[in-house]
Amino acid sequence: MESSAETGSSGESPLCHHGRTRFLDARLRGKDRGLTKPYPVVCHLVDTGAYFAELWELTVGPSLRARVALELGLSEPDAARELAFWAALHDLGKISPSYQHFLSTEACKDYPEHFEQLLADGRYRHGRGGTNNRTAPHDRITHWALPGIFEHLGYSADAPGGQARDLIGHAVGQLLGGHHGSFYPRMERRQLRSPATFLPQLGLGAWPEQRLGHARMVRTLITDDGPVPTGMLPVELAVVVLGVVMVADWMASDTKSIESVRCLADEACCCDEALRQHWERVRETARERVGKQALGRCGFAASPEEELLRAAGFPDGSVHGRLARRLLTEAGPAQGGMLLVSAPAGPARRRLGMVAASKLGRASKARGIALALPDEMHLDDASKELASLAGTLLEGSGGLVRLHTMSFDVGPETAFEDIPELSLAPEDQAVAKKWLSQQRRGLLAPLGVGVLDQFLLAVLPVPDNAVRLFGLSEKVFVVDDVRPQEPALHQLLCLLVEWLAALGTSVVLLTDTLAGESADRLVTAYRRGVRVARGPKTRENGASPSAELPKPGWLYVDGRDGSVTAVADGAPEDSVLPVSLLEARSRPGGADPYVDAVTDRSGGAGSTLVCCDSVEEAQRTFTAIEQHRRLHATPGEVRLLHQRFRRHHFRELMEECAAAHKNAAQDGSVLVTTPAFAEYLPFRFERVVTRSAPLPSLLARASHGRCLTILEGEERAGSPMDRALRQHTVQALRAHGPQLRLPDDAARLIRQVYDSDSYLAAFEDIRARRKGHLLAAAAEGHEAWLLHEARRAGIRGPADVHGDLYELTRTEHGLTKERLAATMGIEEAYVLFIHLRGEVPFLDPEGKEEVPRLKEGGGSAVAALARHAIPVPPQWAPAGGLSEQMGRERFPRLKNLNYTYWIKRTWLNQVYPVVLGADGDPDTGLLGAMRVGYTRTGLFRHG
């Protein structure tokens, strides 16, 4: 346990210039980098407490504040002060020999004798290994030091059952030890009794004395020695508190903020009077800065029904307009909840989701919207839709952030969008735009749009998942195009829904394919989270009431009691879709049979959408169809659209396709594309030709045409589960007959495939594994590997953590952040083709646009590079990344591009230059060991 003695710094008068006794050693440093002089650790503690106090008041709503106070056994004002004190203690571990030695030798070499000066009088001591900062960084020392300190401050020392996790002080220590995003394992009883024995980096003598002295003085300053908590925070509230602590730490660590509030004379003594004056200065600065950064000024407006419908702009008589009107006229929910809405896909459905969000947002007093999309393709369109509606949906002030690494890297102008009706003052807008347009902070904005994978990181064991959950709390989370998925991904979405329900967050899920068990699992997950939010006595799992999702219509799960209500919008009008299945078999030495089949089927009148499984197959198919058209003089244009075009070229192709296929053309035109586009393009065709695919994907592709042709044969692509779902789908369609009546038959087929024993067994296996022990042995086979990754990746549900925060960031051996990113598909690599003319590099083959040099800031230069970047699979990236490629002098003729700034940027560090013609071939270049080139069919691999 920490010693109770208090001491001042050695070699100085016991009284400071205020005439008060020196208790704290001002030589102990908390910040050095970028400052005119080192900053005492106590000042940074006070700063963080002040920023937390402002953030807690402005960014956390009354419902969550009340829940936290109730769990702590304190009044709301006392709880707010005690939490600000906790936040201040986050860096108490910097009062340690390992950290202070680290500052002298590694972090800041301007003061090399700093550590020796501390040790000079003999009061600061440490055991063997006490200066090893690698094995015990300051956040771990915070965790280990705080239980004993809290006991000295009057926190209960009782631990029923003898478990460390039952100590309030230890629970807070573990929480604050995670302020850099990752938690440490909880301590054992013997470690609690004598922490320095097991962790020599805690130090002896004056080290524990100063930690306790700092904690006592800061608590008196912030709480006026008010009452201590009598209860512990459940995990769903602990992550919110930690999220606010982390944001407060980021703000308090800003060098401009530090320089604006510091007083060097007061820092020399750090007495109680100096700290009181410092506290008053920093509270005023924190109040101003938190307000300027627009984190908590939005709320949902009580806009008239007709105004909302007019702003949403639904087509006359559309199912989306009928559902929106019905939603707005239904009796309002008491405190939010979850809406699972079935409606046809497209931009109108996204706007319907925003109208639904306004309904739930008003009820739950939410303060913004987080919109999750199935892929990046619609990021800009969805951002514009949300921005155009936001002024009607919301009131207050704030902006919209595009949650994509490329947006953040290109600059605030790209990532941040101002909403005129919610506009900030010009000086505040500049501050908010700069602060929120950084990758870790984007979720804190009132409005955010991103790909679903980026939101699923909140329930993966990655650093900062607490900030992500805090960023989603008290918003309305809207997910477009929820489908039956592979068990691993579906489980992660269920897990996120469960966590959000426990936080009291409202959710809107938009679908046109969910039915049966795949819908029930999401309903059950939200109900499970609602029980967590209601308290420990109601956390046992109850059976979900059987309620089929109407088509069109919705299921509503009440956020107060978990009850489920179904609402249908009348009987749907079925459309008849002819379906034909054609077998395709390989022929030795022959052309690709799928290309032959597509060529044969795409002739004749009417436009055709051809969906290939890969970019390479799409390029081959496009070329084959073009050749067939030339040989047989067949009318109609053939177009190709996929992701491996330069970004500016891709936008031009999208505009061309939109103009050509706005209506179902009858000229025999063909669009060849890949699943990511075939399933989301807002175009209409006479027929759709596709390989076999899981049923939700087939239905999404079929919705763009008047008839569907499925080419089936040898299934090689995808996981074993994916292939099994394809086979189940084909079997179900063969048994069903040559016509589909949509949407009625679709729901029946979805239940037939996704309520099958094999699918349910795989899903329940994941849940069973996660509720039990983590799988230790490596799995064999791709499907087993995917299930294994899901077991290892998803964190436990809020009811299953049992007070041990380590479970939130715990990973098995070998599960790196990079591997998680590859498994989730959330990281991409990019290729940048460079054309040399002499020694001058250009972005275009004509030599009109020179490659810009990057400088600090460099937003316009990065934007120019982004226009020419081409996404490629992450596994294509050369081993070791861009840094190693540069170190091996892979680009000797491009040294003037100043790659130093590339490495500093998240997105640009994934961009790999490929110099065309560098080794004699004018049309190709090397991406690591892979030869790639670029033609009118996009990027291709050579050989």
Side-chain angles (χ1 to χ4, degrees):
M1 295 296 182
E2 298 281 289
S3 168
S4 61
E6 295 174 337
T7 65
S9 59
S10 176
E12 298 179 348
S13 167
L15 299 179
C16 71
H17 68 276
H18 292 105
R20 297 174 181 268
T21 303
R22 297 176 186 270
F23 287 110
L24 307 184
D25 191 340
R27 297 174 300 170
L28 296 169
R29 296 169 181 172
K31 296 286 179 182
D32 280 88
R33 192 167 298 165
L35 300 174
T36 54
K37 288 192 68 175
Y39 199 48
V41 66
V42 68
C43 293
H44 177 61
L45 303 186
V46 170
D47 293 355
T48 307
Y51 274 98
F52 181 95
E54 295 302 326
L55 286 164
W56 188 252
E57 182 178 345
L58 286 176
T59 67
V60 179
S63 176
L64 274 178
R65 293 202 302 262
R67 285 176 62 186
V68 168
L70 181 65
E71 295 287 354
L72 295 179
L74 298 172
S75 68
E76 286 193 40
D78 283 338
R81 287 188 286 266
E82 194 69 15
L83 292 175
F85 165 59
W86 289 4
L89 297 183
H90 76 290
D91 266 354
L92 201 68
K94 289 185 174 179
I95 305 176
S96 60
S98 54
Y99 183 79
Q100 295 298 318
H101 179 263
F102 166 73
L103 283 183
S104 292
T105 58
E106 297 181 52
C108 182
K109 299 180 181 180
D110 294 336
Y111 307 95
E113 298 179 0
H114 163 65
F115 189 64
E116 286 71 19
Q117 291 170 356
L118 286 175
L119 301 183
D121 65 3
R123 294 185 305 111
Y124 288 102
R125 307 189 307 277
H126 58 83
R128 184 176 180 181
T131 59
N132 186 344
N133 191 60
R134 293 181 180 275
T135 58
H138 72 272
D139 48 358
R140 185 182 182 194
I141 294 174
T142 295
H143 175 177
W144 278 55
L146 282 179
I149 287 174
F150 281 124
E151 187 175 336
H152 279 293
L153 296 177
Y155 280 52
S156 173
D158 295 333
Q163 296 295 316
R165 70 183 181 191
D166 298 318
L167 283 170
I168 298 176
H170 178 266
V172 180
Q174 190 182 42
L175 184 149
L176 295 176
H179 73 267
H180 283 307
S182 298
F183 298 99
Y184 291 95
R186 60 191 179 203
M187 298 169 67
E188 301 173 7
R189 294 295 296 179
R190 60 194 182 115
Q191 294 169 334
L192 284 165
R193 284 193 296 267
S194 181
T197 302
F198 298 92
L199 199 69
Q201 290 88 344
L202 285 160
L204 304 168
W207 296 112
E209 294 169 358
Q210 282 293 318
R211 285 195 292 268
L212 180 57
H214 277 66
R216 279 183 167 166
M217 189 169 288
V218 172
R219 187 168 195 276
T220 299
L221 174 69
I222 296 178
T223 72
D224 197 22
D225 292 325
V228 299
T230 58
M232 293 187 294
L233 292 177
V235 64
E236 65 273 12
L237 298 181
V239 295
V240 171
V241 170
L242 180 61
V244 184
V245 170
M246 294 172 70
V247 176
D249 184 25
W250 297 344
M251 289 185 164
S253 299
D254 181 76
T255 55
K256 291 182 180 178
S257 174
I258 292 173
E259 297 290 3
S260 70
V261 300
R262 69 187 311 178
C263 172
L264 296 179
D266 287 348
E267 290 174 17
C269 64
C270 291
C271 68
D272 55 353
E273 177 60 22
L275 290 180
R276 184 188 63 79
Q277 294 177 9
H278 183 86
W279 169 258
E280 292 174 356
R281 289 194 302 272
V282 75
R283 277 302 296 266
E284 183 177 347
T285 299
R287 190 174 296 114
E288 179 184 0
R289 287 195 67 211
V290 172
K292 283 181 178 292
Q293 276 148 0
L295 302 183
R297 291 184 178 180
C298 271
F300 279 85
S303 300
E305 171 191 324
E306 292 302 324
E307 183 181 344
L308 267 178
L309 293 173
R310 187 166 53 253
F314 298 113
D316 293 339
S318 70
V319 64
H320 305 95
R322 296 198 310 270
L323 286 172
R325 186 176 294 278
R326 182 95 183 256
L327 268 169
L328 293 174
T329 54
E330 287 283 318
Q335 60 177 55
M338 183 177 83
L339 279 168
L340 179 54
V341 183
S342 174
R349 188 175 67 183
R350 286 198 296 268
R351 297 196 297 275
L352 171 61
M354 296 170 200
V355 171
S358 73
K359 179 84 168 185
L360 295 180
R362 287 195 301 275
S364 58
K365 296 181 174 57
R367 296 193 282 181
I369 296 174
L371 174 60
L373 305 171
D375 57 49
E376 183 192 342
M377 186 175 72
H378 294 297
L379 187 65
D380 289 340
D381 290 341
S383 299
K384 292 175 183 175
E385 292 163 6
L386 181 54
S388 67
L389 272 172
T392 307
L393 299 176
L394 300 168
E395 58 188 4
S397 57
L400 181 150
V401 174
R402 293 178 182 84
L403 303 169
H404 189 269
T405 53
M406 183 180 289
S407 297
F408 292 132
D409 252 2
V410 170
E413 298 298 331
T414 301
F416 187 95
E417 183 165 343
D418 182 43
I419 311 296
E421 298 88 344
L422 307 175
S423 188
L424 301 157
E427 63 275 11
D428 293 353
Q429 186 183 92
V431 173
K433 186 178 291 188
K434 182 176 180 181
W435 202 82
L436 290 171
S437 299
Q438 296 187 27
Q439 194 165 11
R440 293 196 300 178
R441 304 171 185 171
L443 264 180
L444 303 174
L447 298 167
V449 182
V451 179
L452 177 60
D453 291 344
Q454 296 163 329
F455 296 97
L456 292 178
L457 286 171
V459 289
L460 290 173
V462 296
D464 300 339
N465 56 11
V467 169
R468 295 175 188 275
L469 287 169
F470 164 56
L472 289 172
S473 68
E474 299 190 301
K475 288 192 175 73
V476 181
F477 183 54
V478 182
V479 185
D480 188 25
D481 200 34
V482 179
R483 301 179 179 183
Q485 297 164 301
E486 284 192 341
L489 290 176
H490 198 66
Q491 165 61 21
L492 287 175
L493 181 57
C494 289
L495 186 59
L496 179 57
V497 163
E498 180 180 346
W499 270 95
L500 294 180
L503 289 167
T505 299
S506 292
V507 174
V508 179
L509 304 177
L510 305 171
T511 185
D512 59 350
T513 54
L514 284 182
E517 287 288 340
S518 58
D520 287 347
R521 277 187 289 273
L522 288 161
V523 170
T524 300
Y526 197 85
R527 295 181 73 242
R528 200 159 46 234
V530 168
R531 283 193 292 274
V532 170
R534 291 171 61 196
K537 293 183 179 179
T538 60
R539 292 190 180 191
E540 62 276 1
N541 290 337
S544 174
S546 176
E548 182 63 36
L549 174 62
K551 296 182 179 299
W554 68 80
L555 290 177
Y556 167 64
V557 185
D558 193 292
R560 180 179 48 187
D561 58 17
S563 59
V564 181
T565 307
V567 176
D569 181 52
E573 294 184 6
D574 283 347
S575 61
V576 178
L577 183 76
V579 179
S580 58
L581 290 92
L582 299 179
E583 279 198 36
R585 298 294 179 187
S586 297
R587 303 193 308 272
D592 190 317
Y594 291 100
V595 173
D596 292 342
V598 168
T599 301
D600 293 339
R601 297 294 299 181
S602 60
S607 59
T608 303
L609 175 66
V610 176
C611 179
C612 300
D613 272 356
S614 67
V615 171
E616 289 80 6
E617 187 176 58
Q619 290 169 325
R620 291 196 305 269
T621 302
F622 169 77
T623 303
I625 293 176
E626 269 201 328
Q627 292 174 345
H628 181 273
R629 289 288 170 97
R630 284 196 297 269
L631 287 172
H632 297 85
T634 307
E637 294 288 334
V638 184
R639 294 178 179 87
L640 175 64
L641 185 67
H642 57 73
Q643 56 269 43
R644 288 187 210 148
F645 286 100
R646 292 185 176 98
R647 287 176 67 84
H648 74 90
H649 190 184
F650 172 78
R651 292 192 185 99
E652 294 165 1
L653 290 170
M654 280 289 290
E655 292 172 2
E656 180 185 334
C657 291
H661 297 285
K662 185 176 181 180
N663 301 308
Q666 297 298 314
D667 60 355
S669 61
V670 178
L671 176 61
V672 181
T673 188
T674 54
F677 301 97
E679 295 170 23
Y680 299 107
L681 287 172
F683 310 147
R684 296 289 297 171
F685 300 85
E686 183 65 27
R687 65 175 63 83
V688 176
V689 178
T690 176
R691 294 177 115 191
S692 60
L695 187 58
S697 293
L698 277 182
L699 293 173
R701 299 170 197 180
S703 67
H704 296 298
R706 295 193 177 98
C707 63
L708 176 66
T709 299
I710 301 173
L711 306 174
E712 59 164 324
E714 299 171 351
E715 299 292 351
R716 299 182 299 274
S719 70
M721 174 60 76
D722 190 53
R723 294 200 295 271
L725 289 174
R726 292 186 189 208
Q727 292 169 5
H728 283 316
T729 297
V730 169
Q731 291 167 3
L733 288 173
R734 284 192 179 283
H736 182 78
Q739 288 187 333
L740 275 178
R741 301 184 68 85
L742 300 178
D744 188 58
D745 287 348
R748 188 178 301 113
L749 287 167
I750 288 286
R751 288 193 295 272
Q752 184 177 338
V753 173
Y754 286 89
D755 292 358
S756 64
D757 290 341
S758 59
Y759 182 82
L760 293 176
F763 187 86
E764 291 306 318
D765 182 49
I766 293 174
R767 281 201 55 79
R769 291 287 186 176
R770 279 190 53 256
K771 293 184 85 171
H773 64 278
L774 293 172
L775 187 66
E780 294 181 359
H782 187 68
E783 170 57 17
W785 176 79
L786 280 176
L787 292 177
H788 177 54
E789 290 294 297
R791 296 174 193 134
R792 299 199 307 171
I795 63 176
R796 298 189 178 200
D800 301 325
V801 174
H802 304 304
D804 187 3
L805 298 175
Y806 179 55
E807 294 294 338
L808 300 186
T809 52
R810 177 181 181 177
T811 59
E812 286 192 34
H813 177 71
L815 184 59
T816 63
K817 185 176 181 180
E818 291 72 23
R819 189 171 179 186
L820 269 175
T823 302
M824 293 295 298
I826 55 179
E827 292 289 346
E828 284 188 294
Y830 294 84
V831 164
L832 187 73
F833 284 110
I834 292 179
H835 306 263
L836 284 177
R837 292 198 165 196
E839 295 297 321
V840 181
F842 290 89
L843 293 170
D844 61 314
E846 295 81 15
K848 297 178 181 179
E849 190 173 357
E850 190 173 340
V851 178
R853 284 178 57 86
L854 260 66
K855 300 178 181 178
E856 198 66 57
S860 60
V862 179
L865 297 174
R867 290 184 66 251
H868 292 267
I870 306 168
V872 296
Q875 59 267 29
W876 286 21
L882 181 60
S883 300
E884 183 174 313
Q885 293 292 297
M886 290 162 48
R888 292 164 55 188
E889 297 188 351
R890 176 75 75 180
F891 319 115
R893 300 174 72 182
L894 304 178
K895 290 181 178 178
N896 65 324
L897 296 187
N898 199 349
Y899 285 107
T900 303
Y901 293 115
W902 289 48
I903 302 301
K904 292 180 180 179
R905 290 179 176 271
T906 304
W907 170 70
L908 267 182
N909 202 26
Q910 299 166 352
V911 175
Y912 297 87
V914 172
V915 182
L916 295 179
D919 51 1
D921 186 340
D923 300 318
T924 65
L926 289 175
L927 174 63
M930 182 189 302
R931 184 166 291 279
V932 295
Y934 193 84
T935 67
R936 66 189 185 93
T937 66
L939 182 147
F940 66 92
R941 287 187 292 179
H942 192 274

